[in-house]
Amino acid sequence: MNTTQFGKQGWTPDRIISLKGKTYVITGTTSGTGYEAAKILLKKGATVVMLNRNPKKATVTIATLKQELGNAIPVTNIEMDLASLTSVKKAAEEVLKTVPQIDALICNAAIAQVPKQTFTEDGFESQLGVNHYGNFLLQALLYPRIEESKGRIVTVGSMGYTMGIKTIKFDDMNWDKNYGPNDVYSQSKLAQIMTVYELQDKLKEAGKTTVKAYACHPGASSTSLIKTSGSLLTRFMWQIMKLTPMVQSAVKGAYPELMCATEPDLDQESFYGPTGKNYWTGPVGECKLEPHAKDKPIMEKLWSVSEDAVGYEWNV
């Protein structure tokens, strides 16, 4: 068995002592890894602000968490749809108004393997729009509060970044030609991951050491991600895979983002997740990051293209 920097078992939430007095903002918590991450943070005494697009589901989630952990838990939801820049701005405004400190912003929500080319209300291809542009704008808008709090930005990527064309299709970001669910998902996840390392470079250049940015991936976890947006065949294959040891629980899938949000002195340069075969399951630790994810000219270009697309200049 491989040993991670946290020993044979890898990182587990047992390493988190108490999070009393800390506040975490986390997207996509009505199911899967986001739900499990929120639950563990609350168990450890943290305040959790959830950002979800469906207020009904969020209300049910809060009720479920209170039933399990007690009525007094400090958890709230702010409505936000990553597929709408207007919605992201409105939610960020609400966060800045009501949340005095952000110890970590955990960008957990995503969509995957959308079978046919569809667009967000802003005219972006949906996977790039939700997974990358929505998160990019949210991070930029909340950055001042995160900086004041000496906090962290945690981006939940995916090993999907290693598939597809392994770069950003700048001449056709919306994939009007050759749309393929996997290629496009791969590009959206690569864009998310690249942004983390580009932000690190920008923080270094500005001499800012108090804000930290991390990229991780959940491995192959039993969540509703594929179930809700994949094609029939993809969903069928996934349901079968979920019955095999190749797929781990959503709880374990939440470990990498929890580690990046809470573990002191964690190296930002690395990419974190399950370290077993194909990085699907296994002890959580450092994973190899493919060189194309740190292609500097592409990272720089992506950053400026993204600022133009969301109409907001990130002020580091």
PDB file of all heavy atoms in Angstrom, residues 265-282:
ATOM      1  N   ASP A 265      -0.470  24.183   7.218  1.00  0.00           N
ATOM      2  CA  ASP A 265       0.817  23.994   6.521  1.00  0.00           C
ATOM      3  C   ASP A 265       0.767  22.997   5.365  1.00  0.00           C
ATOM      4  O   ASP A 265       1.715  22.233   5.166  1.00  0.00           O
ATOM      5  CB  ASP A 265       1.925  23.537   7.506  1.00  0.00           C
ATOM      6  CG  ASP A 265       1.963  24.421   8.748  1.00  0.00           C
ATOM      7  OD1 ASP A 265       1.855  25.653   8.587  1.00  0.00           O
ATOM      8  OD2 ASP A 265       2.066  23.892   9.873  1.00  0.00           O
ATOM      9  N   LEU A 266      -0.309  22.994   4.621  1.00  0.00           N
ATOM     10  CA  LEU A 266      -0.406  22.111   3.469  1.00  0.00           C
ATOM     11  C   LEU A 266       0.219  22.827   2.265  1.00  0.00           C
ATOM     12  O   LEU A 266      -0.060  23.994   2.029  1.00  0.00           O
ATOM     13  CB  LEU A 266      -1.882  21.808   3.202  1.00  0.00           C
ATOM     14  CG  LEU A 266      -2.244  20.637   2.318  1.00  0.00           C
ATOM     15  CD1 LEU A 266      -1.741  19.327   2.916  1.00  0.00           C
ATOM     16  CD2 LEU A 266      -3.753  20.573   2.122  1.00  0.00           C
ATOM     17  N   ASP A 267       1.055  22.116   1.522  1.00  0.00           N
ATOM     18  CA  ASP A 267       1.730  22.712   0.374  1.00  0.00           C
ATOM     19  C   ASP A 267       0.724  23.027  -0.729  1.00  0.00           C
ATOM     20  O   ASP A 267      -0.014  22.166  -1.189  1.00  0.00           O
ATOM     21  CB  ASP A 267       2.795  21.720  -0.125  1.00  0.00           C
ATOM     22  CG  ASP A 267       3.523  22.231  -1.362  1.00  0.00           C
ATOM     23  OD1 ASP A 267       3.487  23.462  -1.593  1.00  0.00           O
ATOM     24  OD2 ASP A 267       4.112  21.414  -2.076  1.00  0.00           O
ATOM     25  N   GLN A 268       0.706  24.284  -1.183  1.00  0.00           N
ATOM     26  CA  GLN A 268      -0.266  24.696  -2.199  1.00  0.00           C
ATOM     27  C   GLN A 268       0.062  24.166  -3.585  1.00  0.00           C
ATOM     28  O   GLN A 268      -0.806  24.050  -4.434  1.00  0.00           O
ATOM     29  CB  GLN A 268      -0.319  26.217  -2.301  1.00  0.00           C
ATOM     30  CG  GLN A 268      -0.805  26.917  -1.074  1.00  0.00           C
ATOM     31  CD  GLN A 268      -0.792  28.417  -1.307  1.00  0.00           C
ATOM     32  OE1 GLN A 268      -1.690  28.969  -1.906  1.00  0.00           O
ATOM     33  NE2 GLN A 268       0.254  29.080  -0.832  1.00  0.00           N
ATOM     34  N   GLU A 269       1.350  23.896  -3.819  1.00  0.00           N
ATOM     35  CA  GLU A 269       1.780  23.525  -5.175  1.00  0.00           C
ATOM     36  C   GLU A 269       1.200  22.189  -5.625  1.00  0.00           C
ATOM     37  O   GLU A 269       1.138  21.886  -6.807  1.00  0.00           O
ATOM     38  CB  GLU A 269       3.315  23.400  -5.221  1.00  0.00           C
ATOM     39  CG  GLU A 269       4.051  24.654  -4.779  1.00  0.00           C
ATOM     40  CD  GLU A 269       4.278  25.616  -5.940  1.00  0.00           C
ATOM     41  OE1 GLU A 269       4.756  25.163  -6.988  1.00  0.00           O
ATOM     42  OE2 GLU A 269       3.957  26.806  -5.778  1.00  0.00           O
ATOM     43  N   SER A 270       0.802  21.357  -4.659  1.00  0.00           N
ATOM     44  CA  SER A 270       0.385  19.997  -4.984  1.00  0.00           C
ATOM     45  C   SER A 270      -1.074  19.923  -5.395  1.00  0.00           C
ATOM     46  O   SER A 270      -1.819  20.893  -5.308  1.00  0.00           O
ATOM     47  CB  SER A 270       0.617  19.086  -3.781  1.00  0.00           C
ATOM     48  OG  SER A 270       1.989  19.063  -3.478  1.00  0.00           O
ATOM     49  N   PHE A 271      -1.470  18.721  -5.821  1.00  0.00           N
ATOM     50  CA  PHE A 271      -2.842  18.417  -6.227  1.00  0.00           C
ATOM     51  C   PHE A 271      -3.254  17.238  -5.355  1.00  0.00           C
ATOM     52  O   PHE A 271      -2.528  16.244  -5.284  1.00  0.00           O
ATOM     53  CB  PHE A 271      -2.841  18.044  -7.721  1.00  0.00           C
ATOM     54  CG  PHE A 271      -4.197  17.778  -8.301  1.00  0.00           C
ATOM     55  CD1 PHE A 271      -5.223  18.705  -8.179  1.00  0.00           C
ATOM     56  CD2 PHE A 271      -4.451  16.600  -9.001  1.00  0.00           C
ATOM     57  CE1 PHE A 271      -6.474  18.470  -8.737  1.00  0.00           C
ATOM     58  CE2 PHE A 271      -5.694  16.356  -9.569  1.00  0.00           C
ATOM     59  CZ  PHE A 271      -6.715  17.290  -9.429  1.00  0.00           C
ATOM     60  N   TYR A 272      -4.380  17.354  -4.653  1.00  0.00           N
ATOM     61  CA  TYR A 272      -4.703  16.381  -3.623  1.00  0.00           C
ATOM     62  C   TYR A 272      -5.932  15.548  -3.947  1.00  0.00           C
ATOM     63  O   TYR A 272      -6.866  16.028  -4.585  1.00  0.00           O
ATOM     64  CB  TYR A 272      -4.925  17.103  -2.292  1.00  0.00           C
ATOM     65  CG  TYR A 272      -3.674  17.778  -1.789  1.00  0.00           C
ATOM     66  CD1 TYR A 272      -3.453  19.140  -2.002  1.00  0.00           C
ATOM     67  CD2 TYR A 272      -2.688  17.045  -1.137  1.00  0.00           C
ATOM     68  CE1 TYR A 272      -2.293  19.756  -1.552  1.00  0.00           C
ATOM     69  CE2 TYR A 272      -1.518  17.650  -0.688  1.00  0.00           C
ATOM     70  CZ  TYR A 272      -1.327  19.005  -0.899  1.00  0.00           C
ATOM     71  OH  TYR A 272      -0.176  19.601  -0.469  1.00  0.00           O
ATOM     72  N   GLY A 273      -5.915  14.293  -3.465  1.00  0.00           N
ATOM     73  CA  GLY A 273      -7.062  13.414  -3.667  1.00  0.00           C
ATOM     74  C   GLY A 273      -6.701  11.993  -3.266  1.00  0.00           C
ATOM     75  O   GLY A 273      -5.643  11.750  -2.686  1.00  0.00           O
ATOM     76  N   PRO A 274      -7.580  11.035  -3.580  1.00  0.00           N
ATOM     77  CA  PRO A 274      -7.272   9.631  -3.287  1.00  0.00           C
ATOM     78  C   PRO A 274      -6.048   9.204  -4.095  1.00  0.00           C
ATOM     79  O   PRO A 274      -5.914   9.577  -5.259  1.00  0.00           O
ATOM     80  CB  PRO A 274      -8.518   8.878  -3.771  1.00  0.00           C
ATOM     81  CG  PRO A 274      -9.575   9.894  -3.961  1.00  0.00           C
ATOM     82  CD  PRO A 274      -8.896  11.186  -4.235  1.00  0.00           C
ATOM     83  N   THR A 275      -5.165   8.432  -3.484  1.00  0.00           N
ATOM     84  CA  THR A 275      -3.881   8.123  -4.116  1.00  0.00           C
ATOM     85  C   THR A 275      -3.799   6.692  -4.651  1.00  0.00           C
ATOM     86  O   THR A 275      -2.737   6.245  -5.062  1.00  0.00           O
ATOM     87  CB  THR A 275      -2.730   8.346  -3.119  1.00  0.00           C
ATOM     88  OG1 THR A 275      -2.993   7.547  -1.948  1.00  0.00           O
ATOM     89  CG2 THR A 275      -2.615   9.803  -2.706  1.00  0.00           C
ATOM     90  N   GLY A 276      -4.908   5.951  -4.613  1.00  0.00           N
ATOM     91  CA  GLY A 276      -4.894   4.563  -5.102  1.00  0.00           C
ATOM     92  C   GLY A 276      -4.849   4.489  -6.619  1.00  0.00           C
ATOM     93  O   GLY A 276      -4.584   5.481  -7.305  1.00  0.00           O
ATOM     94  N   LYS A 277      -5.160   3.304  -7.156  1.00  0.00           N
ATOM     95  CA  LYS A 277      -5.088   3.063  -8.604  1.00  0.00           C
ATOM     96  C   LYS A 277      -5.941   4.073  -9.376  1.00  0.00           C
ATOM     97  O   LYS A 277      -7.088   4.311  -9.030  1.00  0.00           O
ATOM     98  CB  LYS A 277      -5.565   1.641  -8.881  1.00  0.00           C
ATOM     99  CG  LYS A 277      -5.257   1.209 -10.288  1.00  0.00           C
ATOM    100  CD  LYS A 277      -5.530  -0.262 -10.501  1.00  0.00           C
ATOM    101  CE  LYS A 277      -5.171  -0.582 -11.937  1.00  0.00           C
ATOM    102  NZ  LYS A 277      -6.094  -1.428 -12.608  1.00  0.00           N
ATOM    103  N   ASN A 278      -5.346   4.664 -10.417  1.00  0.00           N
ATOM    104  CA  ASN A 278      -6.014   5.697 -11.244  1.00  0.00           C
ATOM    105  C   ASN A 278      -6.462   6.911 -10.430  1.00  0.00           C
ATOM    106  O   ASN A 278      -7.218   7.741 -10.929  1.00  0.00           O
ATOM    107  CB  ASN A 278      -7.254   5.139 -11.952  1.00  0.00           C
ATOM    108  CG  ASN A 278      -6.928   4.005 -12.888  1.00  0.00           C
ATOM    109  OD1 ASN A 278      -5.814   3.945 -13.398  1.00  0.00           O
ATOM    110  ND2 ASN A 278      -7.860   3.106 -13.100  1.00  0.00           N
ATOM    111  N   TYR A 279      -6.029   6.978  -9.194  1.00  0.00           N
ATOM    112  CA  TYR A 279      -6.475   8.045  -8.283  1.00  0.00           C
ATOM    113  C   TYR A 279      -7.999   8.027  -8.093  1.00  0.00           C
ATOM    114  O   TYR A 279      -8.619   9.051  -7.860  1.00  0.00           O
ATOM    115  CB  TYR A 279      -6.030   9.432  -8.778  1.00  0.00           C
ATOM    116  CG  TYR A 279      -4.526   9.601  -8.833  1.00  0.00           C
ATOM    117  CD1 TYR A 279      -3.916  10.306  -9.862  1.00  0.00           C
ATOM    118  CD2 TYR A 279      -3.706   9.070  -7.835  1.00  0.00           C
ATOM    119  CE1 TYR A 279      -2.523  10.473  -9.913  1.00  0.00           C
ATOM    120  CE2 TYR A 279      -2.330   9.231  -7.872  1.00  0.00           C
ATOM    121  CZ  TYR A 279      -1.748   9.927  -8.915  1.00  0.00           C
ATOM    122  OH  TYR A 279      -0.386  10.089  -8.952  1.00  0.00           O
ATOM    123  N   TRP A 280      -8.612   6.837  -8.185  1.00  0.00           N
ATOM    124  CA  TRP A 280     -10.065   6.744  -8.021  1.00  0.00           C
ATOM    125  C   TRP A 280     -10.457   6.621  -6.556  1.00  0.00           C
ATOM    126  O   TRP A 280     -11.429   7.207  -6.118  1.00  0.00           O
ATOM    127  CB  TRP A 280     -10.612   5.540  -8.798  1.00  0.00           C
ATOM    128  CG  TRP A 280     -10.723   5.813 -10.257  1.00  0.00           C
ATOM    129  CD1 TRP A 280     -10.297   6.941 -10.912  1.00  0.00           C
ATOM    130  CD2 TRP A 280     -11.280   4.957 -11.257  1.00  0.00           C
ATOM    131  NE1 TRP A 280     -10.555   6.834 -12.257  1.00  0.00           N
ATOM    132  CE2 TRP A 280     -11.158   5.625 -12.498  1.00  0.00           C
ATOM    133  CE3 TRP A 280     -11.863   3.684 -11.234  1.00  0.00           C
ATOM    134  CZ2 TRP A 280     -11.611   5.061 -13.697  1.00  0.00           C
ATOM    135  CZ3 TRP A 280     -12.304   3.126 -12.425  1.00  0.00           C
ATOM    136  CH2 TRP A 280     -12.175   3.821 -13.634  1.00  0.00           C
ATOM    137  N   THR A 281      -9.702   5.766  -5.827  1.00  0.00           N
ATOM    138  CA  THR A 281     -10.011   5.539  -4.410  1.00  0.00           C
ATOM    139  C   THR A 281      -8.678   5.477  -3.671  1.00  0.00           C
ATOM    140  O   THR A 281      -7.631   5.707  -4.267  1.00  0.00           O
ATOM    141  CB  THR A 281     -10.752   4.195  -4.213  1.00  0.00           C
ATOM    142  OG1 THR A 281      -9.926   3.153  -4.729  1.00  0.00           O
ATOM    143  CG2 THR A 281     -12.092   4.172  -4.936  1.00  0.00           C
ATOM    144  N   GLY A 282      -8.731   5.133  -2.375  1.00  0.00           N
ATOM    145  CA  GLY A 282      -7.486   4.951  -1.633  1.00  0.00           C
ATOM    146  C   GLY A 282      -7.206   6.097  -0.686  1.00  0.00           C
ATOM    147  O   GLY A 282      -7.970   7.056  -0.605  1.00  0.00           O
TER     148      GLY A 282
END
